[in-house]
Amino acid sequence: MDRRQKPSSPEQKRDLEARGGALTSHNDSRSSLNFSQLVLSAGKPKAPPALKHSKITYFEVEILDGQSKKPICIVDKVSPTSTLLDVKQKFHKECPQWYPSRVGLQLERKGPYLKDSINIQSLAVSSIITLYFTDLGQQVGWTTFFLTEYTGPLLIYLLFYIRLSTIYDQREIRKNFRHPVVHLACFCHCLHYTRHLLETLFVHKLSGGHTPLKNMIKGCAFYWGFTSWIAYYINHPRYTPPSFGHRQVSFAALTFMMCEAGNHFINVALAHQNHSGNQACFPSPTYNPFTWLFLLVSCPNYTYEVGSWISFTVMTQTLPVAIFAFLMIIQMSLWAQKKHRVYLKRFYPEVRRKAAMIPIIF
């Protein structure tokens, strides 16, 4: 058996102790260094993994003049999620004289104007999109349009009703007695346009779109001009009452009130459907009997509107009202047929057996 030799001299003992102490101190320093590195590595937050850059394709929209084809502006860095309204706003920053509602953009020079809600990616064939610009002119909001159009007839009729001295001869006014139908006609006329104004403010949810100022001028000229003609004859001192007297006036007034009520309830039903966001089915009648006309026609609000003016014609028995009612029938039928075609595309099974405005005729 081997026996380990013990250090024989004190010098060897001291030498071994010194080496052991050096080794121990070296091991301690290495362990403390490893421990500190471990603590530091645990305390430091780990760097997030490098993100992979997603490839986003931006578009350039080149806007040309619709008549001369000359370039006007290039809108760059348009993201795929942008809409045409975003492009119009960027275009407005480059060309401040044309604000977004005045800008009309087309894919082709003689094509239809694109809607603001269209996604720009749906128009892209390549990274460069070419659009044609048309200045739509001065624009007004739809709320302003309808309020101006309906306020005029309300005030104009009242000016004729009070019989201003600048309109009628005062001697004839003193001689002739005013028939009760004149007061009733004023009440019905004011009720009609007051309903339109209140529904514009509180019932109809008009889009944020705009319409050219010239359209408002045309509409105001039509409504204001006919109101002046109608009011002049009905409130004239020589106005003659209807041929069948009280019976004719009462029947026509009752029909007028029913049509006004029906028109209001139809508009409320349509507005309620739009509020609920349920666009998947054709507008259906409710428990209100005035809405049951939905079972026969697609646009009962136009039906009631026409009925109001026909009954007002019978009640007053004047030629200007008859001409105005005839023109309203033509205009309402055109609007109703246009909307009926839209309903046929979206709700064919429910609409195929219905008329547009008047059963069987339209």
Side-chain angles (χ1 to χ4, degrees), residues 88-107:
K88 288 183 178 181
Q89 290 172 348
K90 291 183 178 181
F91 177 63
H92 174 58
K93 291 181 180 179
E94 298 292 332
C95 305
Q97 68 270 28
W98 292 309
Y99 50 90
S101 62
R102 187 168 181 161
V103 176
L105 297 177
Q106 304 158 284
L107 273 176

Side-chain angles (χ1 to χ4, degrees), residues 150-305:
Y150 296 143
T151 303
L154 182 63
L155 300 178
I156 289 172
Y157 196 98
L158 290 175
L159 291 177
F160 283 92
Y161 176 74
I162 61 179
R163 289 181 173 179
L164 297 175
S165 58
T166 55
I167 301 176
Y168 302 112
D169 187 1
Q170 294 298 313
R171 289 176 296 178
E172 289 187 352
I173 292 175
R174 296 189 192 97
K175 289 180 183 178
N176 296 302
F177 172 73
R178 193 180 298 201
H179 195 273
V181 72
V182 176
H183 303 292
L184 182 61
C186 179
F187 172 77
C188 292
H189 191 275
C190 292
L191 176 67
H192 178 78
Y193 284 102
T194 302
R195 178 185 62 79
H196 274 303
L197 290 172
L198 294 177
E199 287 178 352
T200 301
L201 292 173
F202 303 110
V203 177
H204 298 301
K205 292 299 177 183
L206 302 173
S207 62
H210 298 76
T211 185
L213 179 63
K214 60 182 180 181
N215 289 347
M216 189 179 77
I217 294 175
K218 286 186 206 174
C220 290
F222 177 77
Y223 280 98
W224 295 17
F226 263 103
T227 300
S228 302
W229 191 23
I230 291 169
Y232 176 79
Y233 274 90
I234 295 177
N235 295 286
H236 198 281
R238 297 183 182 178
Y239 169 74
T240 54
S243 303
F244 295 96
H246 180 71
R247 289 183 179 180
Q248 180 177 342
V249 173
S250 300
F251 173 77
L254 181 61
T255 306
F256 179 87
M257 297 301 292
M258 291 178 63
C259 290
E260 287 295 303
N263 202 339
H264 171 70
F265 289 123
I266 290 294
N267 289 331
V268 170
L270 291 173
H272 179 71
Q273 182 204 20
N274 293 335
H275 292 170
S276 62
N278 183 17
Q279 300 289 340
C281 59
F282 179 76
S284 57
T286 63
Y287 63 89
N288 191 328
F290 287 101
T291 64
W292 294 350
L293 199 57
F294 269 123
L295 299 173
L296 300 176
V297 296
S298 300
C299 307
N301 51 333
Y302 296 148
T303 308
Y304 283 123
E305 183 77 12

Side-chain angles (χ1 to χ4, degrees), residues 6-218:
K6 295 184 180 178
S8 59
S9 64
E11 290 83 3
Q12 291 179 352
K13 286 184 179 181
R14 284 196 297 269
D15 186 33
L16 289 173
E17 289 176 358
R19 288 182 183 179
L23 289 172
T24 305
S25 63
H26 181 66
N27 292 335
D28 290 344
S29 63
R30 286 183 61 184
S31 62
S32 63
L33 180 61
N34 293 335
F35 180 73
S36 62
Q37 287 179 350
L38 179 63
V39 171
L40 289 175
S41 63
K44 286 183 180 179
K46 292 183 179 180
L51 294 175
K52 293 182 179 179
H53 295 285
S54 58
K55 245 186 175 182
I56 300 177
T57 304
Y58 290 96
F59 298 101
E60 283 189 2
V61 180
E62 183 184 19
I63 299 177
L64 307 179
D65 186 84
Q67 295 180 350
S68 63
K69 292 186 178 180
K70 293 181 179 179
I72 300 176
C73 174
I74 294 179
V75 181
D76 57 353
K77 292 185 179 180
V78 179
S79 65
T81 57
S82 300
T83 61
L84 201 67
L85 181 60
D86 299 328
V87 175
K88 288 183 178 181
Q89 290 172 348
K90 291 183 178 181
F91 177 63
H92 174 58
K93 291 181 180 179
E94 298 292 332
C95 305
Q97 68 270 28
W98 292 309
Y99 50 90
S101 62
R102 187 168 181 161
V103 176
L105 297 177
Q106 304 158 284
L107 273 176
E108 301 175 357
R109 291 181 63 190
K110 295 183 180 180
Y113 293 112
L114 301 172
K115 294 182 179 180
D116 292 345
S117 59
I118 289 180
N119 191 287
I120 202 69
Q121 193 172 15
S122 63
L123 305 175
V125 179
S126 63
S127 60
I128 300 176
I129 303 171
T130 302
L131 298 177
Y132 295 94
F133 161 76
T134 302
D135 183 9
L136 299 177
Q138 189 73 23
Q139 303 285 303
V140 293
W142 283 111
T143 303
T144 305
F145 176 88
F146 288 117
L147 291 179
T148 305
E149 194 174 65
Y150 296 143
T151 303
L154 182 63
L155 300 178
I156 289 172
Y157 196 98
L158 290 175
L159 291 177
F160 283 92
Y161 176 74
I162 61 179
R163 289 181 173 179
L164 297 175
S165 58
T166 55
I167 301 176
Y168 302 112
D169 187 1
Q170 294 298 313
R171 289 176 296 178
E172 289 187 352
I173 292 175
R174 296 189 192 97
K175 289 180 183 178
N176 296 302
F177 172 73
R178 193 180 298 201
H179 195 273
V181 72
V182 176
H183 303 292
L184 182 61
C186 179
F187 172 77
C188 292
H189 191 275
C190 292
L191 176 67
H192 178 78
Y193 284 102
T194 302
R195 178 185 62 79
H196 274 303
L197 290 172
L198 294 177
E199 287 178 352
T200 301
L201 292 173
F202 303 110
V203 177
H204 298 301
K205 292 299 177 183
L206 302 173
S207 62
H210 298 76
T211 185
L213 179 63
K214 60 182 180 181
N215 289 347
M216 189 179 77
I217 294 175
K218 286 186 206 174

